[in-house]
Amino acid sequence: LAGCSANDGGDGGTSAEGLKGTGSGDSCVIEGTVPVGAALSLTGGAASYGESQQKGLELALADLNAKDGVKYDLKVEDDGSDPRQAISVFETFVGNGTSLIIGPTLSNTAFQAQPVAQEAGVPVLAISNTATGITAQGDFIFRDSLTEAQVIPQTIQAASEKLGLKKVVVMYSNDDAFTESGFEVMESALKDQGIEVLDTLKFSVKDTDFRSLLTAAKEKNPDAIVVSALIEAAIPLVTQARELGINEPIIGGNGFNNPALMKDAGQAAEDVIVGAAWNSASDSPENTAFMKAFEEKYGAGPDQFAAQAYTGMLIVDHAVRANCSGERTDVQQSLTEVKDLATPLGSISINKDRDAEHPAVVQIVKDGKFTVLN
Ligand code: 1QQ
């Protein structure tokens, strides 16, 4: 590890150790750059989420580094949508003195990679993981993403009030930690709200042909289909449902919060209902500025994953400045104290379980866009 402890900021080889500054908040000044590592799915099945996250992080990085006092060195590494690759990225970040790790993109990956950081005492901020139990892995694990449990019950309630759901078919992939967790939340929310489950149909995260399952679903004559799936399954599932004449609403979990759904499923995506952690229609000053800056930099609007990533960097900066330190234990400690921070996701706090609390929104796809369901 020779050379890894220099905090000169000149060679990109800075380390969290010794990164203590003076002042606090806006007046905090830290010599040397604060190294932040991000493990994102830039390739593999979750790449459409990861690419969006990278854009959100890099936009925030530019904004933060334009401010005085604290500079960040962000290294984005590809987790390949694969737990083993993520473990190796985490090991690299742990070994090279990174102050905090952002990511990985999928809960399924996070459950396996996070213990590497937890055991080494490196704080992790998840920006898209929604499965139950992510932050329960240890006191160094935080997230800014709302969980399925925070979003699905109100999504099903809103859909039910709007559409009068009495009976549904549930479909989910049973070999991914996020989709399984989402399924459990859906099952209990449906039960709580007295909605009958006519059938529960399982598939694999790698499946792309849902015609026989959808035919079985259609025969049950449901008022809606409730689906826990990642985007690579969601697109063909929704497309094939409409081809088979299933015109009822399809209610999805967080995996559906992806513009690729409308781009690739086209007309079939209409009337998909999905709860989200980000309201693109919010006219708060933070969201308005974020959306404008994103559009200017990338020539297209952000999605929820970009907004959560951007917010993640804002939270990191807030935490670093609060203790005016890039040392791992200082960052960990300040993350426990994030309260009512104004962000594009709304006013965000980190609760005692290290999970985020902020408003959610229920959306429906209309004319190829997520619009608020009310
Ligand atoms: C998870 C998710 C995915 C949809 C994130 C991209 O919510 O894996 O937890």
Side-chain angles (χ1 to χ4, degrees):
L1 287 177
C4 283
S5 61
N7 279 334
D8 57 12
D11 62 1
T14 62
S15 161
E17 204 185 322
L19 269 186
K20 284 194 189 277
T22 52
S24 170
D26 286 344
S27 75
C28 165
V29 176
I30 298 178
E31 299 295 329
T33 55
V34 177
V36 175
L40 302 179
S41 301
L42 303 178
T43 59
S48 58
Y49 306 113
E51 285 160 11
S52 186
Q53 293 179 310
Q54 182 172 20
K55 289 182 179 159
L57 291 183
E58 285 175 355
L59 177 63
L61 179 75
D63 287 358
L64 294 172
N65 279 347
K67 287 172 53 179
D68 288 336
V70 185
K71 305 290 173 199
Y72 297 92
D73 175 24
L74 173 70
K75 293 237 179 333
V76 177
E77 296 290 342
D78 182 15
D79 70 30
S81 310
D82 170 46
R84 275 174 308 175
Q85 191 165 326
I87 287 171
S88 119
V89 171
F90 267 56
E91 285 169 347
T92 302
F93 287 144
V94 164
N96 72 6
T98 295
S99 291
L100 169 137
I101 302 173
I102 288 176
T105 297
L106 297 178
S107 290
N108 198 57
T109 306
F111 280 120
Q112 299 201 43
Q114 288 179 166
V116 172
Q118 173 64 34
E119 277 157 31
V122 181
V124 174
L125 181 66
I127 54 173
S128 54
N129 300 326
T130 63
T132 302
I134 287 287
T135 51
Q137 279 197 319
D139 59 349
F140 277 77
I141 316 295
F142 297 81
R143 64 174 143 195
D144 79 355
S145 38
L146 293 181
T147 66
E148 294 298 85
Q150 287 170 299
V151 177
I152 296 282
Q154 71 194 77
T155 304
I156 289 179
Q157 187 180 354
S160 173
E161 280 167 9
K162 196 80 187 158
L163 313 161
L165 304 184
K166 300 241 171 333
K167 48 190 178 32
V168 299
V169 168
V170 177
M171 298 177 68
Y172 77 107
S173 56
N174 68 346
D175 50 0
D176 171 88
F178 150 72
T179 59
E180 287 177 275
S181 180
F183 160 70
E184 283 163 18
V185 172
M186 287 167 174
E187 196 179 39
S188 87
L190 289 164
K191 187 163 182 263
D192 289 349
Q193 293 174 41
I195 299 168
E196 184 188 355
V197 176
L198 300 166
D199 206 354
T200 299
L201 305 171
K202 297 177 197 150
F203 55 89
S204 162
V205 81
K206 295 203 170 64
D207 284 349
T208 53
D209 185 348
F210 300 98
R211 280 172 277 228
S212 64
L213 289 183
L214 288 164
T215 301
K218 190 181 180 195
E219 278 163 13
K220 302 277 179 182
N221 200 21
D223 300 329
I225 300 189
V226 181
V227 184
S228 185
L230 287 163
I231 192 65
E232 290 226 302
I235 291 164
L237 192 156
V238 165
T239 305
Q240 291 159 20
R242 301 313 188 210
E243 281 167 8
L244 289 166
I246 299 175
N247 296 316
E248 282 69 29
I250 296 174
I251 303 171
N254 193 44
F256 282 61
N257 272 317
N258 191 321
L261 181 71
M262 287 80 97
K263 188 169 166 280
D264 295 353
Q267 190 63 26
E270 293 293 300
D271 294 328
V272 163
I273 294 172
V274 48
W278 175 62
N279 182 359
S280 59
S282 160
D283 61 3
S284 73
E286 294 77 25
N287 191 50
T288 306
F290 162 67
M291 289 182 68
K292 184 165 174 281
F294 193 97
E295 180 88 43
E296 275 168 13
K297 186 168 170 120
Y298 300 112
D303 65 9
Q304 175 201 269
F305 293 95
Q308 289 175 313
Y310 182 91
T311 298
M313 280 300 293
L314 297 189
I315 292 172
V316 170
D317 179 58
H318 180 80
V320 166
R321 286 174 178 273
N323 265 331
C324 200
S325 169
E327 290 201 354
R328 290 164 168 179
T329 48
D330 290 334
V331 176
Q332 188 270 350
Q333 196 264 331
S334 338
L335 282 171
T336 65
E337 288 169 9
V338 174
K339 198 164 169 15
D340 302 330
L341 185 65
T343 77
L345 304 179
S347 173
I348 192 164
S349 300
I350 302 285
N351 69 23
K352 65 175 185 5
D353 297 323
R354 299 172 302 282
D355 287 329
E357 291 190 6
H358 69 79
V361 61
V362 181
Q363 311 171 117
I364 184 165
V365 178
K366 289 289 177 199
D367 300 323
K369 290 204 175 71
F370 289 122
T371 61
V372 177
L373 177 72
N374 50 23

